[in-house]
Amino acid sequence: MKKILYTLSLIALSLSSHTQTPFDYEKSTGYSGNNIPSLVYKDDSFNFLVMGDFGRVGDYYQRDVAREMGNAMVVLDGEFVVSVGDNFYPNGVASTQDYHWISSFESIYTNPSLYADWYVALGNHDYLGNVQAQVDYTKVSRRWNMPDRYYSKEFKLDNGEKVLLVVMDTNPFIDGYQKSSKYGDLREQDTAKQMKWLEETLGKADKSIQWKIVVGHHPMYSGGKRKTNKDTQGFEQKFADFFDKHKVDAYICGHEHDLQIIKPKDRYTTQFLSGAASEVRPSGEMEHTIFAAAEPGFMTFSILDKELTVQVVKADKEDAKVLYTHTIKKDK
């Protein structure tokens, strides 16, 4: 792991006048990318990136965001990448050999740091193609992870505690989609079965799980295009109480092509919407908006002890900067 090399380099350079960061180390060994000076790295933190709504053959802002995602992974010594879905526009992929895999994924996210694990959710545009092909690509690609339409993964932190990452398939829960025949086999999906799985997965009696993070495509809240959308309101009604009941710390989603952080005052769960990895649409605010921006970019998640810190990163044509930082603190 790079953290081992990083630690060894700190020892070797103990006489240096400044503390070496992961970026300093990589740069000293030949890394050709750029730093993101406003992106804060903390020693011993557990870090990952969140992006979504991305697959547009490198067009719109996709290449700029991909470039800065690579730089951010180096700056933070990131562990993995999360995609919140709508991985391929406009109609998903046809098979594991579809050229979209090359043109919108493999040839775009080329920074060596992005050859880490990607944990991927399904979006509505993915259901317009062959969903099973995205599941099956897990066996083709070293980095693409979608073992099923919904799944979970546990990560052990340095303090011995765990992060539970739960990737759900939100599409079958959207009432408007159930009335349409264009979403492939969506109407054949068993929502009761998935709810039972969610209940069991989030409700497991494992006291070592310190953080619960759920990933899905559709938001519960939005100040953007879908602020008053019935499907958004319906999804909130299905899951806001459910997530609070299970003490889900963060619900990560996309669907809206912007960057938003929303947390109603009477709720436990904070929603982080990161759907600006290629196309960007006008954003907006609602009553419980903490942050909103119609900018291309992504979010970084950093866990250290009792704090989860999210940095919202904007990708420009030549560089990147942090627009906003939000921290969730656990009781000691």
Side-chain angles (χ1 to χ4, degrees), residues 221-225 227 256 258 260 262 283-286 289:
Y221 326 105
S222 177
K225 176 182 177 182
K227 181 176 182 178
E256 298 280 54
D258 55 18
Q260 300 183 50
I262 298 173
S283 189
E285 297 187 357
M286 61 173 294
T289 295

Side-chain angles (χ1 to χ4, degrees), residues 28 41 45 62 69 74 82 106 110 117 171 185 188 190 194 204 230 262 269 279-280 305 308 312 314 317 326 331:
S28 73
Y41 168 78
S45 57
Q62 190 183 4
M69 283 174 56
V74 171
V82 168
E106 302 290 3
T110 57
D117 289 327
N171 296 280
D185 62 354
E188 299 172 18
D190 188 340
Q194 185 176 172
K204 62 175 61 176
K230 290 183 179 179
I262 298 173
T269 304
E279 182 190 62
V280 175
D305 296 326
L308 187 158
V312 183
K314 175 187 176 182
K317 289 294 182 183
H326 182 79
D331 294 333

Side-chain angles (χ1 to χ4, degrees), residues 215-287:
V215 179
H217 183 64
H218 295 86
M220 295 187 291
Y221 326 105
S222 177
K225 176 182 177 182
R226 297 179 173 90
K227 181 176 182 178
T228 60
N229 184 276
K230 290 183 179 179
D231 285 337
T232 302
Q233 295 171 348
F235 191 75
E236 175 190 358
Q237 291 169 5
K238 290 181 175 76
F239 285 101
D241 287 340
F242 181 79
F243 290 158
D244 282 356
K245 168 188 171 183
H246 289 289
K247 301 297 183 183
V248 172
D249 299 288
Y251 175 60
I252 299 172
C253 60
H255 200 44
E256 298 280 54
H257 297 174
D258 55 18
L259 302 163
Q260 300 183 50
I261 303 174
I262 298 173
K263 183 181 183 295
K265 293 180 181 179
D266 58 344
R267 291 294 180 189
Y268 182 89
T269 304
T270 305
Q271 176 185 281
F272 298 92
L273 193 159
S274 182
S278 58
E279 182 190 62
V280 175
R281 288 195 299 247
S283 189
E285 297 187 357
M286 61 173 294
E287 180 183 358

Side-chain angles (χ1 to χ4, degrees), residues 14 16 45-46 49 83 86 91-92 101 127 129 131 139 176-178 191 197 213 219 239-240 246 267 305 310:
S14 60
S16 174
S45 57
F46 179 89
L49 306 190
S83 167
D86 275 4
N91 300 313
W101 291 106
Y127 260 93
V131 171
K139 299 177 182 178
Y177 297 174
Q178 293 289 344
T191 54
W197 175 83
I213 299 173
F239 285 101
H246 289 289
R267 291 294 180 189
D305 296 326
V310 178

Side-chain angles (χ1 to χ4, degrees), residues 133-150:
Q134 293 201 36
V135 174
D136 291 344
Y137 199 70
T138 302
K139 299 177 182 178
V140 176
S141 169
R142 166 59 185 83
R143 53 179 169 169
W144 185 271
N145 286 275
M146 188 190 289
D148 211 329
R149 298 186 190 219
Y150 51 90

Side-chain angles (χ1 to χ4, degrees), residues 31-292:
Y31 178 60
S32 61
N34 295 323
N35 194 4
I36 304 177
S38 56
L39 186 61
V40 177
Y41 168 78
K42 294 183 179 180
D43 289 345
D44 301 321
S45 57
F46 179 89
N47 306 284
F48 61 93
L49 306 190
V50 172
M51 52 83 84
D53 301 79
F54 67 88
R56 294 182 183 273
V57 199
D59 209 333
Y60 298 79
Y61 297 101
Q62 190 183 4
R63 289 188 185 277
D64 293 335
V65 174
R67 182 194 68 237
E68 297 306 329
M69 283 174 56
N71 289 332
M73 282 287 279
V74 171
V75 171
L76 297 178
D77 191 16
E79 301 285 342
F80 56 86
V81 178
V82 168
S83 167
V84 300
D86 275 4
N87 307 310
F88 300 99
Y89 288 95
N91 300 313
V93 292
S95 69
T96 57
Q97 285 77 46
D98 194 313
Y99 192 68
H100 230 333
W101 291 106
I102 303 300
S103 62
S104 290
F105 180 61
E106 302 290 3
S107 69
I108 304 298
Y109 302 96
T110 57
N111 188 296
S113 68
L114 295 177
Y115 280 82
D117 289 327
W118 288 54
Y119 296 100
V120 188
L122 290 165
N124 53 296
H125 282 269
D126 300 312
Y127 260 93
L128 296 174
N130 184 344
V131 171
Q132 189 59 42
Q134 293 201 36
V135 174
D136 291 344
Y137 199 70
T138 302
K139 299 177 182 178
V140 176
S141 169
R142 166 59 185 83
R143 53 179 169 169
W144 185 271
N145 286 275
M146 188 190 289
D148 211 329
R149 298 186 190 219
Y150 51 90
Y151 57 96
S152 67
K153 178 78 174 180
E154 292 182 4
F155 302 91
K156 192 170 184 179
L157 302 174
D158 288 343
N159 62 6
E161 296 183 315
K162 298 176 183 175
V163 177
L164 174 63
L165 183 73
V166 176
V167 180
M168 61 180 294
D169 181 3
T170 60
N171 296 280
F173 294 99
I174 303 302
D175 295 337
Y177 297 174
Q178 293 289 344
K179 302 173 184 177
S180 174
S181 60
K182 67 179 182 178
Y183 290 108
D185 62 354
L186 181 144
R187 288 187 289 184
E188 299 172 18
Q189 302 309 305
D190 188 340
T191 54
K193 181 180 179 181
Q194 185 176 172
M195 282 302 302
K196 183 175 183 293
W197 175 83
L198 286 167
E199 184 80 47
E200 293 172 349
T201 304
L202 290 170
K204 62 175 61 176
D206 185 347
K207 294 182 179 180
S208 67
I209 295 176
Q210 184 181 51
W211 298 94
K212 294 181 181 180
I213 299 173
V214 176
V215 179
H217 183 64
H218 295 86
M220 295 187 291
Y221 326 105
S222 177
K225 176 182 177 182
R226 297 179 173 90
K227 181 176 182 178
T228 60
N229 184 276
K230 290 183 179 179
D231 285 337
T232 302
Q233 295 171 348
F235 191 75
E236 175 190 358
Q237 291 169 5
K238 290 181 175 76
F239 285 101
D241 287 340
F242 181 79
F243 290 158
D244 282 356
K245 168 188 171 183
H246 289 289
K247 301 297 183 183
V248 172
D249 299 288
Y251 175 60
I252 299 172
C253 60
H255 200 44
E256 298 280 54
H257 297 174
D258 55 18
L259 302 163
Q260 300 183 50
I261 303 174
I262 298 173
K263 183 181 183 295
K265 293 180 181 179
D266 58 344
R267 291 294 180 189
Y268 182 89
T269 304
T270 305
Q271 176 185 281
F272 298 92
L273 193 159
S274 182
S278 58
E279 182 190 62
V280 175
R281 288 195 299 247
S283 189
E285 297 187 357
M286 61 173 294
E287 180 183 358
H288 306 295
T289 295
I290 296 173
F291 172 83

